[in-house]
Amino acid sequence: KQWYQRRVRGKQTVAANEGFEKVQRPWAKRFVKVEKAKKAYHLSTRNLEGNKQQLDLLERDTLTGVDQIKKLKDKISKLETETDKNRDKYKDRLNELDMANQQYINEMTVEFEKCQAMEKLRMDFFVRTVEDYLRHVDVSKDPRLTNSFQNIQHGLNEMSIEEDLKRFSDQKGTGMAMNWPTFTEYDQADSFPPLGTLQMKDNDSGSHFNVYDDPPPGPGGKKNPFNGFDDADSEWGDTGGYQPSTNEVKVVAMFDYQGAESDELSFKEGDVLVQLDEEDENGWCRGLLHGVEGLYPGSYVQRVK
């Protein structure tokens, strides 16, 4: 009776969950920083590659103005600096995470062994309960009970608590293979859908040619396994939501743009947008178009004079 647990998911389960979460929290905060640094690096790399493709096409077009090419080259130079900076920060965040891995393993092992010990007690209790029942209850008078308990007894004889615990540890616990985060370069083919086609129009001649159409601003399909551990106090943490600037300006689209993500705006050449904040280090702005708020590439618009 002293081993009987009236509630299967009771205080022990709550204590186990709290123990794992306590150990996970410091490592998870570092992991969030790694993911944010990785995203910033991949975004700046993507923007750099896109602007280089755009420059290549503009230089081949005889109608392109010198000032337009110079402006784009200046932007590329800035993006190269930002990309180098983001790469270094990404590597620094990975190094911080790597140094925390061993402590994370040690502390998680302690918590896991606590759960294994509780599971062993539960399995021992179950085996003893069934064996005691068979010793004190005569089930021979009912064939159905006889067959059922014979199957149970056979299962108990074949079962090894130690082997079961080890199998679980190898598959779901400390013995399972680890897949630690590593440095990954931006790979457009692996991370994003195929590029679309953006139509640019020369205002004087009316001619059209294709340029780079931005893919989505982050690796598709990948979910952060530690969504609840964002470090609000860190330089990468959330600041409580977007706050529009009071200095709103109007910008006009120089080219067509088709948003690739749900938080991006789509517009046509000549559309007028309200810019809500300045262009960030990755080349993105936030603005309003027809009452809808979203992101758009700053290189595709110019301010209304």
Side-chain angles (χ1 to χ4, degrees):
K1 183 177 180 181
Q2 66 268 28
W3 299 107
Y4 178 70
Q5 298 298 316
R6 192 172 297 275
R7 294 177 60 195
V8 176
R9 297 184 63 84
K11 293 182 178 180
Q12 292 178 342
T13 302
V14 173
N17 288 336
E18 290 177 349
F20 281 119
E21 288 181 2
K22 183 179 179 181
V23 172
Q24 288 173 343
R25 190 171 291 110
W27 190 92
K29 287 183 177 180
R30 292 185 177 92
F31 177 77
V32 169
K33 291 180 180 180
V34 169
E35 289 296 293
K36 290 182 177 180
K38 175 183 176 180
K39 181 178 180 181
Y41 172 53
H42 287 184
L43 278 172
S44 58
T45 303
R46 183 202 67 178
N47 288 336
L48 177 60
E49 292 179 0
N51 280 274
K52 285 182 176 180
Q53 290 184 29
Q54 185 175 342
L55 176 63
D56 180 63
L57 291 171
L58 288 176
E59 288 179 333
R60 285 186 287 168
D61 186 78
T62 57
L63 299 176
T64 304
V66 176
D67 291 341
Q68 188 177 2
I69 292 179
K70 182 180 182 301
K71 180 180 178 181
L72 190 54
K73 285 183 176 180
D74 292 340
K75 183 176 182 63
I76 289 174
S77 178
K78 178 182 176 182
L79 283 172
E80 287 175 339
T81 302
E82 292 298 330
T83 300
D84 291 339
K85 176 182 175 182
N86 288 336
R87 183 191 297 109
D88 292 340
K89 181 161 288 188
Y90 178 23
K91 290 182 177 180
D92 289 342
R93 294 293 185 243
L94 271 174
N95 289 334
E96 293 173 2
L97 188 67
D98 290 341
M99 290 187 291
N101 285 345
Q102 191 56 54
Q103 180 181 355
Y104 175 68
I105 292 173
N106 295 340
E107 294 178 350
M108 286 292 285
T109 299
V110 172
E111 295 300 322
F112 181 77
E113 292 302 329
K114 290 179 183 178
C115 293
Q116 290 287 79
M118 287 190 293
E119 179 64 11
K120 187 175 186 303
L121 288 176
R122 187 191 69 82
M123 296 173 75
D124 284 337
F125 165 76
F126 175 75
V127 171
R128 288 198 306 272
T129 299
V130 174
E131 290 176 345
D132 288 344
Y133 189 88
L134 292 175
R135 280 197 300 268
H136 294 89
V137 177
D138 183 9
V139 297
S140 61
K141 296 180 179 180
D142 191 330
R144 293 173 301 176
L145 290 177
T146 300
N147 292 334
S148 297
F149 277 92
Q150 282 179 346
N151 291 334
I152 293 175
Q153 186 66 58
H154 177 73
L156 293 178
N157 293 337
E158 295 293 323
M159 182 180 72
S160 171
I161 295 177
E162 288 72 19
E163 289 182 4
D164 284 349
L165 292 174
K166 184 180 185 304
R167 186 182 303 110
F168 181 77
S169 177
D170 291 341
Q171 295 177 354
K172 302 293 184 179
T174 55
M176 67 183 296
M178 305 303 295
N179 184 21
W180 301 106
T182 58
F183 184 86
T184 57
E185 291 286 356
Y186 167 77
D187 190 334
Q188 178 181 302
D190 293 339
S191 302
F192 301 106
L195 295 179
T197 299
L198 176 69
Q199 294 292 329
M200 290 182 62
K201 179 179 179 182
D202 183 272
N203 291 330
D204 297 325
S205 67
S207 61
H208 289 77
F209 53 96
N210 295 333
V211 297
Y212 181 82
D213 184 9
D214 283 39
K222 293 186 178 180
K223 301 296 183 181
N224 177 11
F226 297 108
N227 285 331
F229 294 104
D230 284 332
D231 188 358
D233 296 329
S234 73
E235 63 181 299
W236 290 98
D238 296 331
T239 57
Y242 164 73
Q243 298 296 328
S245 169
T246 56
N247 300 320
E248 296 179 356
V249 297
K250 290 185 177 181
V251 295
V252 60
M254 297 185 293
F255 325 110
D256 295 350
Y257 179 73
Q258 180 64 41
E261 289 286 308
S262 59
D263 60 350
E264 295 182 24
L265 295 175
S266 299
F267 48 78
K268 299 290 185 181
E269 178 191 355
D271 284 348
V272 177
L273 299 80
V274 176
Q275 181 174 312
L276 299 179
D277 57 7
E278 294 296 326
E279 182 176 325
D280 66 20
E281 61 183 12
N282 297 314
W284 289 90
C285 298
R286 186 179 295 272
L288 284 173
L289 177 63
H290 306 313
V292 178
E293 182 179 321
L295 299 172
Y296 61 89
S299 59
Y300 289 19
V301 302
Q302 65 180 4
R303 294 199 177 190
V304 176
K305 298 180 181 180

